[in-house]
């Protein structure tokens, strides 16, 4: 742990620093790959002032960013820890991270600020108490789930009904897909949906891999996947599963999971990860049917009524 006596300070960040900051995060426990970390730092915070680089004479110790350009069911900005060389003490965490993050969020448009405390990337010793001292309260938990690469291949789903089909999402349906995601995750506090223009660019450029299940010309569901690593161990990720509300009870969810896993296997993935809100029993039951198991629980704290 870096103690209160250490000369911690906030270090300046500008977009031109992003390569070095991304490299630090990837090398120091970052939960996201380099491309997504870069995107969070440059695109999902409304200003470089939302990026918090805390360090000492040896360089960065902690990197976090306030994500305020994505929308979720709580209308909350979120403080994401991206890399930690060593957990800092509670007092400098409050002074150098919590206070500026709250000030930045208050100057923006969101109604709340969420802070997750993943055990694998804990920013500070005593972080929970520091958040409570700053007025935060526990809001919800998320589960990290993993399907081992050694798990038996899931049974193939029944053939699609007549007129149904799969398609890679492209520019012709991107606006419809974004509108569907807004509706699907309207009340989900943990699902951050990027603005339409960013979503469109990510889909058209191929930076985000989405597949849609179509009932004729109507969109019934969407799945987003990602592959991490090259050569040796490749890890898969099911980033988003979304069923259009009018298709509830029609077996769309299992088809989305099965298709996502099939595509990840084709890409060479072994283990496959996903994240789900801990109180979403319907989703938990679905994922367990596909041999996903809970591997970590992350509490999320919220500061409400920013304005």
């Amino acid at each position: 742990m870096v103690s209160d006596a250490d000369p911690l300070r906030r270090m300046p960040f500008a977009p031109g620093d992003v390569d070095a900051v991304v490299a630090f995060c990837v090398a120091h426990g970052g939960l996201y790959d380099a491309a997504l970390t870069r995107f969070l730092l440059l695109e999902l915070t409304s200003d470089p002032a939302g990026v918090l680089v805390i360090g000492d004479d040896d360089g960065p110790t902690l990197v976090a960013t306030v994500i305020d350009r994505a929308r979720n069911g709580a209308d909350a900005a979120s403080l994401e820890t991206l890399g930690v060389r060593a957990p800092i003490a509670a007092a400098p965490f409050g002074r150098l991270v919590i206070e500026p993050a709250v000030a930045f969020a208050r100057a923006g448009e969101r109604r709340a600020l969420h802070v997750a405390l993943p055990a694998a990337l804990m920013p500070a010793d005593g972080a929970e108490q520091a958040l409570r001292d700053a007025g935060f309260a526990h809001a919800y938990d998320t589960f990290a789930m993993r399907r081992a690469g050694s798990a038996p291949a899931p049974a193939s789903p029944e053939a699609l009904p007549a007129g149904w089909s799969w398609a890679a999402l492209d520019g012709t349906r991107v606006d419809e897909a974004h509108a569907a995601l807004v509706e699907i995750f309207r009340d989900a506090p943990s699902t951050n949906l990027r603005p339409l223009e960013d979503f469109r660019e990510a889909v058209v450029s191929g930076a985000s891999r989405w597949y849609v299940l179509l009932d004729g010309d109507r969109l019934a569901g969407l799945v987003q996947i990602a592959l991490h690593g090259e050569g040796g161990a490749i890890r898969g990720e099911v980033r988003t599963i979304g069923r259009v509300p009018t298709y509830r009870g029609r077996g769309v969810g299992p088809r989305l999971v099965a298709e996502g896993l099939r595509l990840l296997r084709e890409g060479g993935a072994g283990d496959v990860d996903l994240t789900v809100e801990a109180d979403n029993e319907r989703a938990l039951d679905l994922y367990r049917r596909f041999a996903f198991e809970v591997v970590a629980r992350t509490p999320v704290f919220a500061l409400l009524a920013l304005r």
Side-chain angles (χ1 to χ4, degrees):
M1 181 188 77
V2 179
S3 73
D4 285 334
D6 289 315
L8 289 173
R9 60 188 181 276
R10 184 170 176 185
M11 306 174 75
F13 172 81
D17 303 322
V18 70
D19 288 343
V21 173
V22 169
F24 169 85
C25 295
V26 172
H28 293 87
L31 302 178
Y32 307 118
D33 61 25
L36 183 53
T37 301
R38 177 185 296 271
F39 183 78
L40 295 176
L41 290 166
L42 295 181
E43 303 297 338
L44 286 191
T45 185
S46 58
D47 189 273
V51 177
L52 305 172
V53 181
I54 312 304
D56 54 24
D57 291 342
D58 294 326
T61 293
L62 182 154
V63 173
T65 188
V66 179
I67 295 173
D68 62 347
R69 292 193 65 244
R71 291 193 175 273
N72 53 54
D75 193 23
S78 59
L79 176 63
E80 290 273 351
T81 301
L82 300 178
V84 178
R85 172 160 55 91
I88 65 177
F93 178 62
R95 183 179 71 255
L96 297 172
V97 179
I98 299 174
E99 290 180 10
V102 170
F104 183 83
R106 280 208 166 106
E109 300 177 353
R110 299 291 170 250
R111 297 173 56 191
L113 176 63
H114 286 178
V115 181
L117 294 179
L121 197 63
M122 190 62 64
D125 290 326
E128 177 177 337
Q129 189 58 52
L131 288 169
R132 293 188 184 278
D133 290 345
F136 286 75
H138 178 258
Y140 62 92
D141 291 346
T142 62
F143 283 147
M145 303 188 77
R146 177 167 297 156
R147 186 182 192 279
S150 58
S156 299
E158 296 180 0
L160 289 173
W164 288 54
S165 61
W166 287 102
L169 181 60
D170 59 21
T172 62
R173 292 187 179 274
V174 68
D175 289 19
E176 177 189 4
H178 190 271
L181 289 166
V182 170
E183 176 63 22
I184 292 166
F185 295 109
R186 182 177 304 277
D187 298 319
S190 68
T191 301
N192 287 313
L193 183 61
R194 64 182 67 180
L196 174 58
E197 59 271 21
D198 291 356
F199 182 78
R200 185 186 295 120
E201 180 181 353
V203 169
V204 172
S205 69
S208 289
R209 296 179 59 190
W210 289 86
Y211 297 85
V212 293
L213 180 57
L214 301 172
D215 173 10
D217 288 331
R218 296 189 300 274
L219 196 152
L222 312 90
V223 56
Q224 182 191 18
I225 62 169
L227 290 163
H228 307 285
E230 298 178 358
I234 297 177
R235 179 175 60 86
E237 181 184 1
V238 178
R239 284 191 173 164
T240 311
I241 293 281
R243 170 194 39 77
V244 174
T246 54
Y247 284 86
R248 183 172 181 174
R250 298 180 62 178
V252 169
R255 292 187 184 278
L256 294 170
V257 177
E259 181 68 4
L261 291 175
R262 185 188 70 80
L263 292 165
L264 289 169
R265 286 197 308 274
E266 281 189 355
D271 293 351
V272 176
D273 296 328
L274 59 79
T275 302
V276 61
E277 289 173 22
D279 62 356
N280 191 341
E281 294 294 341
R282 181 182 292 270
L284 287 167
D285 289 344
L286 170 62
Y287 299 144
R288 285 173 175 136
R289 284 164 52 190
F290 284 87
F292 282 92
E293 298 180 352
V294 174
V295 294
R297 184 175 192 134
T298 296
V300 179
F301 294 83
L303 182 65
L304 305 177
L306 288 179
R307 53 192 30 80

